[in-house]
Amino acid sequence: MSGSPNGAWRIGVDTGGTFTDLVAVGPGGEVRLQKVASTPAEPARATFEALKRSQVDPRGEVDSFIMGTTIATNALIQRRGAPTVLITTAGFEDVLYIQRIDRQGLYDLQWIKAEPYVPRDRVVGVNERILADGSVRTPLARQELDRVIDEVRRITAHDQSPAVAVSLLFSYVNPIHEQELAAALQEALGGLPVSISSEVAPIWREYERSNTTAMDAYVKPIVANFAGDLLRELELLQMGGWHGLLRSNGGHVAIPDTPAKPVEIVLSGLAAGMIAGAHFARAVDSAKAVTLDMGGTSADVGVIVDGELQFSGLFEVEFGLPLALPILDVTTIGAGGGSIASIDSGGLLKVGPESAGAEPGPACYGLGGEAPTVTDANVVMGRLNPGYFLGGRMNLDAERARSAIDPVADRLGLTPEDTAEAIVSVSIENMDGAMRLVTVDRGLDYREFDLVAYGGAGPLHATEIARRMGMNRVIVPPNPGLVSAYGTVIADQRVDRRITLVRRLDHGESGDLPAALGRLADETVAELRSQLRRPEVPVDVTTYVACRYLGQNYEQEIRTEFGHVDRSFELAVPIGPEAADFVARLADGYHATHKASYGYEMRDQPIQSVYLGATALSETPEVLIRPYAGGGDGTARATRRVLAAAGQWTDALIVKRDTLATGETLDGPAVIEEADSTTWVPPGFRATVHESQCLIIARSDAEARP
Amino acid sequence: MTGPSKTGPAMTGTSSPGDGIDRVGLTLLYKRVRNICDEMAFAMMRTAYSPIFSEGLDFSTLVLDRRGRLIATAGINPAMLGASLYAATWIIREVGPENFAEGDIFVHNDPYRGGSHLPEHMMVAPVYSDGELAAFVGNIAHLAEIGGMAPGSFAATATDIFQEGLRIPPTKLFDRGEPVQDIWRIMLANHRTPNNSWGDLHAMVGSLRVGERRVGGLIAERGVDGLNEAFEQILDYAEAYMRSEIAALPDGIYTGEDCMEDDGISDRSYWIRSRIIVEGDELIFDYSKSDEQAVGPINAPYVVTLSASLNGLLYVLARDVPVNAGIVRPVKVVAPAGTITCVRLPGPCVGGQTEFQPRIMELVLGQILSQILPERAAAASGNTSLNFLFGGVDPRNGEYYAHYHFEGMGWGGRADSDGNSAQIVPHANCRNTPVEIFETKWPWVHEEYSLNDDTGGAGRHRGGLGVRRVMEVEGDVITVSALSERMKRSPWGLFGGHDGSRTALEVAPAGSDAYETFQDAFGLISPSKFTNIRLRRGDRVRITSPSGGGYGDPLERDPAKVLADVELGFVSRVSAESVYGVVLAGAPDDGLAVDEAATEALRRSMRDGVA
Amino acid sequence: MAWHELNKNWHDTTVDYCDVCGNLLIARYWSFIEPDGTETRRCCDETCERLFGRLRRLEQSARDS
């Protein structure tokens, strides 16, 4: 069994804010890892530095080179995107300013509404109107097109690489006016990038669609430049194989295709970690799992059901700035190693959401931070080894950690050690609550789930979280701090498409639903095929219909299956005469799903479809990852005093992870250390080294699982 | 996990560690109870029918102890704070805890029994452990249509409660798990869109079932007595929190007043007169000098006045306090029955929740608390929910529909920043209905939905802008009603800031561009409160929401901010000069700039009053 | 001065208010005999007493000044 198809190298890079991680998987599962400081000004530089250090020969046997990148994310967060013009239906120019009129905090009178990506003096209204049924009420006249072109020319006269977004009312039903505008702009102002909402996000709700389209245009020139830089550099290196970027939906896009719809790579970096989480969950036969990627300032939580990551139709860059695209469903919680502990006005202990971040960081970093953090608490409890942080590249100051915690301990009337335990407990309770909501909001019972924990701080807290929530097992992948880079190597190629189609299932109007779904599936497959890294590989397509009881305002997605869901080399087969039966089966599926989620169904109520979705997928061949030599000689073992629970000091076994052999077990209390992370196994729990080199942690008295 | 220790002496702020209370255990428990409320809320939001409670999030979920005292609530709509504290408690006390049985659900919407107004329905269910009553779970949600004299159940010209819809005293909706069909039939027969109510009531029931299961899990861990002892400590904790915040305020009597401009029945205005008495760690809101109860529906039930007072306080004082029955212990609200601040049966009160509550809340936080904490206060927001109701038969499918629409407005300027534009009234936290959903669901076509330029109250920090919505009737007939405010009196500025602009409700007949107010067009008593006006195909409605008041003297506003406002069109060049004293040079196309010398001179002369 | 049951008929759906603060009287009320012999019905005992006393002091001092 080889680690990589054709015995060639698969190279994955994850460019984060602080570090750029490279993982290269070669023949036989050989893994080369590189962690270099990121170069935010020229993101490509750190990548190629890491590549050079990995000593993988680019002109040798390279299967693929794939990156997860935060370039689009950072452009949005730091507001460094292109000067953008927005074209709307006349009368609705303020759509980006009005937003949805709600606010983030209930009692936050000082809250400031999110600033739109396109300022008001760069919005152009166009006289045209399409109605809810797609009919044209006001046609788009030729002289109106000319006027709009003149306006755009005037606004962009002094801009450096501007972009244009077009979002007209009801364009998701009838895109004709948007298409006419795009064509006219191209003709008159060739070279000016144009994003139209009926292509970027053809869904209802004009604010969410317009904002998504504006974001697409906003990041387009930056992403195009970045893709160009990468391609030039790769060509210079004569790098072989297929070159891609990771999308927010967890699929790949070929680097040259990225600028067509750049908004799709906004969550590229986040997606990488979740894909790897799902991969390792599958590796240990976990069908239902929650992924927890916990770092210094925040934790990202995702859900795996039936071995698959879940998707969401909405993500907010900040409150009020939604991205309405199918993306991996991730929830970010403000809880990390840097979360700060304090005492509130009522005298109770509070942890976060304030964070010490990376600078100044926790008090024990000795970089000037004085506030007590979760990381400081872990040092005081003996769970973190001050001498082996980042593999010994950074020393933690235990004395500083303790003096930061002292004032809180005085207020609580507890010892500093028990205070440290309380700080960790409260931060675990915070995550517990957020993770319950992530699952319950999706109608899932977390007690049936495993917890896949990674990131620098995840494996340190995961077992306590799982115990409190009553979850099954904890799974700690190899190299927890580098898991995102693994994700880029593992990711599949995929295209997601979604259209709005509001139909009552009990009316004749739903007759066109199966055909529309079939068409959508065909288009989605065709789009994926146009980008495939190897044209001969099979393509899978799945479809779903989001439904709700007529009158409800939230929908649930019902997976739909037709004859054409197979590994076909042909385009999907359109739906035929079984259409009527399809609608009835869809309705049955909805009643059952609703009952499972909310405890009741309403058989007498009509059901309405809201949108249709299709996912075309081309699976990447499995990759074998075996980073640890697994000496198993036991020489590197020691014991250390660790606080296992309030008032309970105990001798814990300290083990270096790369000395563990497959099948070996460790009974808690134990601390498993490696360069990029630390795993805590509490008393009463047992860690087992799975053949995938994942650690599986379960109650010592639990039945052994396959 | 360790549970809290046995009851020790009551928590008193931060000063008494070593009193035997397990503060960490308490924090963990409170968070878990809050999480239960959140789970109940999510279940309800995703399954409800009425956009006002599913899109708009106009509901709350509750966990209560076995005596019916509120322990935690999902903080979604602050307007329901008062009802959350009292409505479930009322049912439990009036029915008697011993008269509940496992599987029962009680419902009520009675504003004289702790409800806010008739559309908001409260449900409560007991949770048992081996036959022993352990706790209650509850929720409150705004149903879109509950009958009464006008579609949408916001009868702005009602003169008694019976015109406002179907009133339900505490009533069993489920008896040991089985629906009480006679009650369901009476309720649904009295609602105009019964199918909608059917869906919403089920969403409420589903949410209670989620809560029962999760509270059951807590009982399994701690036992009935252990859990209720811990609940007691959570109440004590909230009380201690509030006391320590109040103790930090200087003792004294602070007064303020504002009015409801009319009640829809006559032209007279009704005054609310408020005194806040701060003494040590306790605080009294005294409204006893307010005007008598109005004839029309602008009166507040007691809990609405309480809600507004507490919300105003929480905005400035204690944003993070756990909201439960403990927070009212050091706070008393005096609102004598028969005044506009406490309606007596059968006085109407549907507008009290949406119009009176924000008025009191901003009175408390803007006018009164600004005397104590100017840096945390704000000028008035548009301060009306701008309720616009309509119903009719949709020509596209022949089905009856009714909708309760509200509008965003400008918020007032603040110590550090301008007011937000197009925001929901501050005592609520609802979202708008997108134009694309609006027109898909109901037979209107929009011509415009935009910000209303050059209207924000001028100030060092400008008031936010209101919105303008213009839409045309696509059905044959649509029956419309409205219940609003701020048409006769402007949202006030603070510390020298100017007032904001007012609400307008206008109509133009088919084929005409001549807008006039509904009041002039239909000969109404009130410009802001009317019911059952029939509009026909092609008629157009123009809704203009108010803007926020300014904070501080406009002559102190940073000229660069005035320039930015002119460039973006929020402020006209004329107002920049005449109101802010900022002279701009250049032409808009070539780039404007502040003429510093001319600005300084103009501002000096304006300060001297010779401009 | 004691708690009294409201003892309403089951078919009586009216409500009663605290004479001091306007809050609702639920199932029972605290009966208070004023110095002039009239009865006021209150929603709670000692907190209402304190409140009432403080308000009366306030009115008094307002009249005095």
Side-chain angles (χ1 to χ4, degrees), chain B residues 339-397:
Chain B
T339 68
I340 186 170
T341 63
C342 179
V343 63
R344 252 185 209 286
L345 191 155
C349 56
V350 69
Q353 172 73 329
T354 67
E355 306 303 304
F356 182 94
Q357 171 150 204
R359 192 64 36 84
I360 295 201
M361 193 187 100
E362 292 197 354
L363 177 62
V364 169
L365 75 89
Q367 288 192 21
I368 300 179
L369 291 174
S370 67
Q371 299 164 33
I372 312 175
L373 298 165
E375 73 285 0
R376 292 199 220 169
S381 75
N383 202 251
T384 168
S385 297
L386 228 172
N387 310 296
F388 185 73
L389 305 306
F390 55 85
V393 175
D394 192 330
R396 297 173 294 186
N397 56 23

Coordinates of all heavy atoms in Angstrom, one line a residue, chain B residues 339-397:
Chain B
T339 N -53.6 54.3 35.6 CA -52.8 55.3 34.9 C -52.4 54.6 33.6 O -52.5 53.4 33.4 CB -51.5 55.7 35.6 OG1 -50.7 54.5 35.7 CG2 -51.9 56.2 37.0
I340 N -51.8 55.4 32.7 CA -51.4 54.9 31.4 C -50.3 53.9 31.6 O -50.0 53.1 30.7 CB -51.0 56.1 30.5 CG1 -50.6 55.5 29.1 CG2 -49.8 56.8 31.1 CD1 -50.5 56.6 28.1
T341 N -49.7 53.9 32.8 CA -48.6 52.9 33.1 C -49.0 51.6 33.6 O -48.2 50.7 33.9 CB -47.5 53.6 34.0 OG1 -48.2 53.8 35.3 CG2 -47.0 54.9 33.5
C342 N -50.3 51.5 33.9 CA -50.9 50.2 34.4 C -52.4 50.2 34.1 O -53.2 50.7 34.8 CB -50.6 50.0 35.9 SG -51.3 48.4 36.5
V343 N -52.7 49.5 33.0 CA -54.1 49.6 32.5 C -55.0 48.7 33.3 O -54.6 47.7 33.8 CB -54.1 49.1 31.0 CG1 -53.7 47.7 30.9 CG2 -55.5 49.3 30.4
R344 N -56.2 49.2 33.6 CA -57.2 48.5 34.3 C -58.1 47.8 33.3 O -58.5 48.4 32.2 CB -58.1 49.4 35.1 CG -57.8 49.4 36.6 CD -58.9 50.3 37.3 NE -58.3 50.8 38.5 CZ -58.2 50.1 39.6 NH1 -58.6 48.8 39.6 NH2 -57.6 50.6 40.7
L345 N -58.5 46.6 33.5 CA -59.5 45.9 32.7 C -60.8 46.7 32.6 O -61.2 47.3 33.6 CB -59.8 44.6 33.4 CG -60.6 43.5 32.7 CD1 -60.2 42.1 33.3 CD2 -62.1 43.7 32.7
P346 N -61.4 46.9 31.4 CA -61.0 46.3 30.2 C -60.3 47.2 29.2 O -60.6 47.2 28.0 CB -62.4 45.9 29.6 CG -63.3 47.1 30.1 CD -62.7 47.6 31.4
G347 N -59.4 48.1 29.7 CA -58.7 49.0 28.8 C -57.9 48.3 27.8 O -57.3 47.3 28.0
P348 N -57.8 48.9 26.6 CA -57.1 48.3 25.5 C -55.6 48.6 25.6 O -55.2 49.6 26.2 CB -57.6 49.0 24.2 CG -58.0 50.4 24.7 CD -58.5 50.2 26.1
C349 N -54.7 47.8 25.1 CA -53.3 47.9 25.4 C -52.3 47.3 24.4 O -51.2 47.1 24.7 CB -53.0 47.3 26.8 SG -53.4 45.6 27.0
V350 N -52.8 47.0 23.2 CA -52.0 46.3 22.2 C -50.8 47.2 21.8 O -49.7 46.7 21.6 CB -52.8 45.9 21.0 CG1 -53.2 47.1 20.1 CG2 -52.0 44.9 20.1
G351 N -50.9 48.5 21.8 CA -49.8 49.4 21.4 C -48.8 49.7 22.5 O -47.8 50.3 22.3
G352 N -49.2 49.3 23.8 CA -48.3 49.6 24.9 C -47.0 48.9 24.7 O -46.0 49.5 25.0
Q353 N -47.0 47.7 24.3 CA -45.8 46.9 24.1 C -44.9 47.5 23.1 O -43.7 47.5 23.3 CB -46.2 45.4 23.8 CG -45.1 44.5 23.4 CD -44.2 44.1 24.7 OE1 -44.1 44.9 25.6 NE2 -43.6 43.0 24.6
T354 N -45.5 48.0 21.9 CA -44.6 48.4 20.8 C -44.3 49.9 20.8 O -43.3 50.3 20.3 CB -45.2 48.0 19.5 OG1 -46.4 48.9 19.3 CG2 -45.6 46.6 19.4
E355 N -45.1 50.7 21.4 CA -44.9 52.1 21.4 C -44.6 52.8 22.7 O -43.7 53.6 22.8 CB -46.2 52.8 20.8 CG -46.6 52.3 19.4 CD -45.5 52.3 18.4 OE1 -45.0 53.5 18.2 OE2 -45.2 51.3 17.8
F356 N -45.4 52.3 23.7 CA -45.2 52.9 25.1 C -43.9 52.4 25.7 O -43.1 53.1 26.3 CB -46.4 52.5 25.9 CG -46.4 53.0 27.3 CD1 -47.0 54.2 27.6 CD2 -45.7 52.3 28.3 CE1 -47.0 54.7 28.9 CE2 -45.7 52.8 29.6 CZ -46.4 54.0 29.9
Q357 N -43.6 51.1 25.5 CA -42.4 50.5 26.1 C -41.1 51.2 25.7 O -40.3 51.6 26.5 CB -42.3 49.0 25.9 CG -41.0 48.4 26.4 CD -41.0 47.0 26.9 OE1 -40.1 46.7 27.6 NE2 -41.9 46.1 26.5
P358 N -40.9 51.4 24.3 CA -39.7 52.1 23.9 C -39.6 53.5 24.4 O -38.6 54.1 24.7 CB -39.7 52.0 22.4 CG -41.1 51.7 22.0 CD -41.7 50.9 23.2
R359 N -40.8 54.1 24.5 CA -40.8 55.5 25.0 C -40.3 55.6 26.5 O -39.5 56.4 26.8 CB -42.3 56.1 24.9 CG -42.5 57.6 25.1 CD -41.8 58.4 24.0 NE -41.9 57.7 22.7 CZ -42.9 57.8 21.9 NH1 -43.9 58.5 22.2 NH2 -42.9 57.2 20.7
I360 N -40.8 54.7 27.3 CA -40.4 54.7 28.7 C -38.9 54.3 28.8 O -38.1 54.9 29.5 CB -41.2 53.7 29.6 CG1 -42.6 54.1 29.6 CG2 -40.6 53.6 31.0 CD1 -43.3 53.5 30.8
M361 N -38.5 53.3 28.0 CA -37.2 52.8 28.1 C -36.2 53.9 27.8 O -35.2 54.1 28.5 CB -37.0 51.6 27.1 CG -35.7 50.9 27.4 SD -35.5 49.7 26.1 CE -34.3 50.5 25.1
E362 N -36.4 54.7 26.7 CA -35.5 55.7 26.3 C -35.6 56.9 27.3 O -34.6 57.6 27.5 CB -35.7 56.2 24.9 CG -35.3 55.0 24.0 CD -35.1 55.5 22.5 OE1 -35.4 56.7 22.2 OE2 -34.6 54.6 21.7
L363 N -36.8 57.1 27.9 CA -36.9 58.1 28.9 C -35.9 57.8 30.1 O -35.2 58.6 30.6 CB -38.4 58.1 29.4 CG -38.7 59.0 30.6 CD1 -38.5 60.5 30.2 CD2 -40.2 58.8 31.0
V364 N -36.0 56.5 30.4 CA -35.1 56.0 31.5 C -33.6 56.2 31.2 O -32.8 56.7 31.9 CB -35.4 54.6 31.9 CG1 -34.4 54.0 32.9 CG2 -36.8 54.5 32.5
L365 N -33.3 55.6 30.0 CA -31.8 55.6 29.8 C -31.3 56.9 29.1 O -30.1 57.2 29.3 CB -31.5 54.4 28.9 CG -31.8 54.3 27.4 CD1 -30.7 54.9 26.6 CD2 -32.0 52.9 27.0
G366 N -32.1 57.6 28.4 CA -31.6 58.7 27.7 C -31.8 60.0 28.5 O -30.8 60.8 28.7
Q367 N -32.9 60.2 29.1 CA -33.2 61.5 29.8 C -32.8 61.4 31.3 O -32.2 62.4 31.8 CB -34.6 61.9 29.7 CG -35.0 62.4 28.3 CD -36.3 63.1 28.3 OE1 -36.8 63.5 29.4 NE2 -37.0 63.1 27.2
I368 N -33.1 60.3 31.9 CA -32.9 60.2 33.4 C -31.5 59.8 33.7 O -30.7 60.4 34.4 CB -33.9 59.3 34.0 CG1 -35.3 59.9 33.7 CG2 -33.7 59.3 35.5 CD1 -36.5 59.1 34.2
L369 N -31.1 58.6 33.1 CA -29.7 58.1 33.5 C -28.6 58.9 32.9 O -27.5 58.9 33.3 CB -29.6 56.6 33.1 CG -30.5 55.7 34.0 CD1 -30.5 54.3 33.4 CD2 -30.1 55.7 35.4
S370 N -29.0 59.7 31.8 CA -27.9 60.5 31.2 C -27.5 61.6 32.2 O -26.4 62.1 32.1 CB -28.4 61.2 30.0 OG -29.5 62.1 30.3
Q371 N -28.3 61.9 33.3 CA -27.9 62.8 34.3 C -26.8 62.2 35.2 O -26.0 62.9 35.8 CB -29.1 63.2 35.2 CG -30.2 63.9 34.4 CD -31.5 63.9 35.2 OE1 -31.5 64.0 36.4 NE2 -32.7 63.8 34.5
I372 N -26.8 60.9 35.2 CA -25.8 60.2 36.1 C -24.6 59.7 35.3 O -23.5 59.8 35.7 CB -26.5 59.0 36.8 CG1 -27.8 59.4 37.5 CG2 -25.5 58.4 37.8 CD1 -28.5 58.2 38.1
L373 N -24.9 59.1 34.1 CA -23.9 58.4 33.3 C -23.9 58.9 31.9 O -24.3 58.2 31.0 CB -24.1 56.9 33.3 CG -24.0 56.2 34.7 CD1 -24.6 54.8 34.6 CD2 -22.6 56.2 35.2
P374 N -23.6 60.2 31.6 CA -23.7 60.8 30.3 C -23.0 60.0 29.2 O -23.4 59.9 28.1 CB -23.2 62.2 30.4 CG -22.4 62.2 31.7 CD -23.0 61.2 32.6
E375 N -21.8 59.3 29.6 CA -21.0 58.6 28.6 C -21.7 57.3 28.2 O -21.3 56.8 27.2 CB -19.6 58.4 29.2 CG -19.5 57.3 30.2 CD -20.0 57.7 31.6 OE1 -20.5 58.9 31.8 OE2 -20.0 56.9 32.5
R376 N -22.7 56.9 28.9 CA -23.3 55.6 28.5 C -24.7 55.9 27.9 O -25.4 55.0 27.5 CB -23.5 54.7 29.6 CG -22.2 54.1 30.1 CD -22.4 52.9 30.9 NE -21.5 52.9 32.1 CZ -21.6 52.0 33.1 NH1 -22.5 51.1 33.1 NH2 -20.8 52.0 34.1
A377 N -25.2 57.1 27.8 CA -26.5 57.4 27.4 C -26.5 57.7 25.8 O -25.5 57.7 25.2 CB -27.0 58.7 28.1
A378 N -27.7 57.8 25.3 CA -27.9 58.1 23.9 C -29.1 59.0 23.7 O -30.0 59.0 24.5 CB -28.1 56.8 23.1
A379 N -29.1 59.7 22.6 CA -30.3 60.5 22.2 C -31.4 59.6 21.8 O -31.1 58.4 21.6 CB -29.9 61.5 21.1
A380 N -32.6 60.1 21.6 CA -33.7 59.3 21.2 C -33.5 58.6 19.9 O -33.0 59.2 18.9 CB -35.0 60.1 21.3
S381 N -33.9 57.4 19.8 CA -34.1 56.7 18.5 C -35.4 57.2 17.9 O -36.2 57.9 18.5 CB -34.0 55.2 18.6 OG -35.3 54.8 19.1
G382 N -35.7 56.7 16.7 CA -37.0 57.0 16.1 C -38.1 56.5 17.0 O -39.2 57.1 17.0
N383 N -37.8 55.5 17.8 CA -38.6 55.2 19.0 C -40.1 54.9 18.7 O -41.0 55.2 19.4 CB -38.5 56.3 19.9 CG -38.9 55.9 21.3 OD1 -39.9 56.3 21.9 ND2 -38.0 55.1 22.0
T384 N -40.4 54.2 17.5 CA -41.7 53.7 17.3 C -41.4 52.3 16.6 O -40.5 52.2 15.8 CB -42.6 54.6 16.4 OG1 -43.7 53.8 16.0 CG2 -41.8 55.1 15.2
S385 N -42.3 51.4 16.8 CA -42.2 50.1 16.0 C -42.7 50.3 14.6 O -42.5 49.5 13.8 CB -42.9 49.0 16.8 OG -42.3 48.7 18.0
L386 N -43.5 51.4 14.4 CA -44.1 51.7 13.1 C -44.9 50.5 12.6 O -44.6 50.0 11.5 CB -43.1 52.1 12.1 CG -43.4 53.4 11.4 CD1 -42.2 53.9 10.5 CD2 -44.6 53.3 10.5
N387 N -45.8 50.0 13.4 CA -46.6 48.8 13.0 C -47.5 49.2 11.8 O -48.3 50.1 11.9 CB -47.5 48.4 14.2 CG -46.7 48.2 15.5 OD1 -45.8 47.4 15.5 ND2 -47.0 49.0 16.5
F388 N -47.4 48.4 10.8 CA -48.3 48.5 9.6 C -48.8 47.2 9.3 O -48.1 46.2 9.1 CB -47.4 49.1 8.4 CG -48.2 49.4 7.2 CD1 -49.0 50.5 7.2 CD2 -48.2 48.6 6.1 CE1 -49.8 50.8 6.1 CE2 -49.0 48.9 5.0 CZ -49.8 50.0 5.0
L389 N -50.2 47.1 9.4 CA -50.8 45.8 9.2 C -51.6 45.7 8.0 O -52.2 46.7 7.5 CB -51.8 45.6 10.4 CG -51.3 45.7 11.8 CD1 -50.2 44.8 12.1 CD2 -51.1 47.1 12.3
F390 N -51.6 44.6 7.3 CA -52.5 44.5 6.2 C -53.0 43.0 6.0 O -52.4 42.1 6.5 CB -51.8 45.0 4.9 CG -50.5 44.3 4.6 CD1 -50.5 43.1 3.9 CD2 -49.3 44.9 5.0 CE1 -49.3 42.5 3.6 CE2 -48.1 44.2 4.7 CZ -48.1 43.0 4.0
G391 N -54.1 42.9 5.3 CA -54.7 41.6 5.0 C -55.6 41.6 3.9 O -56.0 42.7 3.4
G392 N -55.9 40.5 3.3 CA -56.8 40.4 2.2 C -56.7 39.1 1.5 O -56.1 38.1 2.1
V393 N -57.3 39.0 0.3 CA -57.2 37.7 -0.4 C -56.2 37.9 -1.5 O -56.2 38.9 -2.3 CB -58.6 37.3 -1.0 CG1 -58.5 36.1 -1.9 CG2 -59.6 37.1 0.1
D394 N -55.2 37.0 -1.6 CA -54.2 37.1 -2.6 C -54.7 36.6 -4.0 O -55.2 35.5 -4.1 CB -53.0 36.2 -2.2 CG -51.7 36.5 -3.0 OD1 -51.9 36.9 -4.2 OD2 -50.6 36.3 -2.5
P395 N -54.8 37.5 -5.0 CA -55.3 37.2 -6.3 C -54.6 36.0 -6.9 O -55.1 35.4 -7.8 CB -55.2 38.5 -7.1 CG -54.2 39.3 -6.4 CD -54.2 38.9 -5.0
R396 N -53.3 35.8 -6.5 CA -52.5 34.8 -7.2 C -52.9 33.4 -6.8 O -52.7 32.4 -7.5 CB -51.0 35.0 -6.9 CG -50.5 36.4 -7.4 CD -49.1 36.7 -7.0 NE -49.0 36.9 -5.5 CZ -47.9 37.3 -4.9 NH1 -46.8 37.5 -5.6 NH2 -47.9 37.5 -3.6
N397 N -53.5 33.2 -5.6 CA -53.9 31.9 -5.2 C -55.2 31.8 -4.4 O -55.7 30.7 -4.0 CB -52.8 31.3 -4.3 CG -52.5 32.2 -3.1 OD1 -53.4 33.0 -2.7 ND2 -51.3 32.0 -2.5

